[in-house]
Amino acid sequence: MTLTIVQVGAPVLRSPARPLTKEEIRSQEIQLLIEQMRETMHGAPGVGLAAPQVGVPIQLVVIEDPAQLQARFTEQQLAERERQPIPFHVLINPQIQLLSDCTIDFFEGCLSIAGYTAITPRYTAVRVHALNERAEELALTASGWYARIVQHEVDHLNGTLYIDRCNLHTFSTYENKEQFWDK
Ligand code: ZN
């Protein structure tokens, strides 16, 4: 079953999400939510989804950047973005630490701001501490496009959207971005 993706303007997208206990993570309710968020992300399709985007104010995100979503980009585009396939995984109660002072600009979109995109700076590398879907502690380093996805999704848990960080003069529909910016 796929869930409805909440659109911008809904208060749940602008409120801090609460952390989960290890007991809650192992509950049937959260395990089902993870499965439904995974299906919803696949259906959209998207490369990440945060629980507030399906109306649930908890600190849980799912991420996956499968090869088939990258097929429409050229080798050069993928190389510029440092974009590589990322397998499905879950981050719960994530804490981000910046590993770089450098930011890089690319167009970014959000399933909760459907149809629009804008150039958004993101740090090039981050370290993440979180719990996984089995409530086990994990630490990972993300760089390139993956670092962008992680920062975007963790922002959702703090009520922050890419439109708070983007260059607003570049805010476009996807159609106009293709027509006027991709040349
Ligand atoms: Zn988003």
Side-chain angles (χ1 to χ4, degrees), residues 1-181:
M1 191 187 83
T2 58
L3 305 168
T4 301
I5 298 177
V6 171
Q7 293 300 301
V8 64
V12 69
L13 291 175
R14 290 313 206 166
S15 313
R18 74 167 178 88
L20 288 177
T21 65
K22 290 186 175 183
E23 226 172 21
E24 284 177 303
I25 294 168
R26 297 189 195 102
S27 71
Q28 254 183 2
E29 190 189 351
I30 295 299
Q31 294 298 313
L32 178 64
L33 177 67
I34 290 169
E35 210 34 60
Q36 291 174 335
M37 284 176 61
R38 181 181 193 162
E39 281 180 42
T40 304
M41 174 175 67
H42 287 167
V47 296
L49 190 66
Q53 293 183 274
V54 293
V56 185
I58 59 173
Q59 292 183 18
L60 187 158
V61 308
V62 295
I63 291 174
E64 184 178 3
D65 193 1
Q68 67 262 29
L69 280 189
Q70 300 177 12
R72 66 190 183 89
F73 297 97
T74 65
E75 287 283 317
Q76 193 197 338
Q77 285 172 322
L78 293 173
E80 282 169 357
R81 285 162 182 72
E82 295 179 73
R83 186 167 172 179
Q84 290 164 345
I86 302 293
F88 178 81
H89 61 291
V90 179
L91 299 177
I92 297 167
N93 307 344
Q95 299 292 328
I96 279 194
Q97 180 191 349
L98 300 179
L99 292 183
S100 158
D101 297 334
C102 299
T103 60
I104 187 162
D105 287 346
F106 283 110
F107 274 98
E108 185 172 312
C110 178
L111 296 175
S112 295
I113 308 171
Y116 294 92
T117 180
I119 291 179
T120 307
R122 293 291 183 185
Y123 292 99
T124 53
V126 294
R127 181 99 177 136
V128 186
H129 288 90
L131 298 175
N132 68 12
E133 69 277 18
R134 293 181 296 277
E136 297 159 344
E137 288 181 28
L138 67 88
L140 59 87
T141 300
S143 62
W145 200 256
Y146 180 33
R148 177 173 296 271
I149 297 170
V150 168
Q151 288 166 80
H152 179 116
E153 297 311 328
V154 172
D155 268 354
H156 273 299
L157 305 181
N158 296 311
T160 299
L161 300 172
Y162 81 84
I163 48 175
D164 304 330
R165 303 192 185 276
C166 74
N167 174 345
L168 270 178
H169 285 267
T170 66
F171 188 67
S172 314
T173 63
Y174 272 100
E175 251 173 16
N176 282 338
K177 182 244 181 195
E178 274 169 34
Q179 186 176 351
F180 299 112
W181 291 85

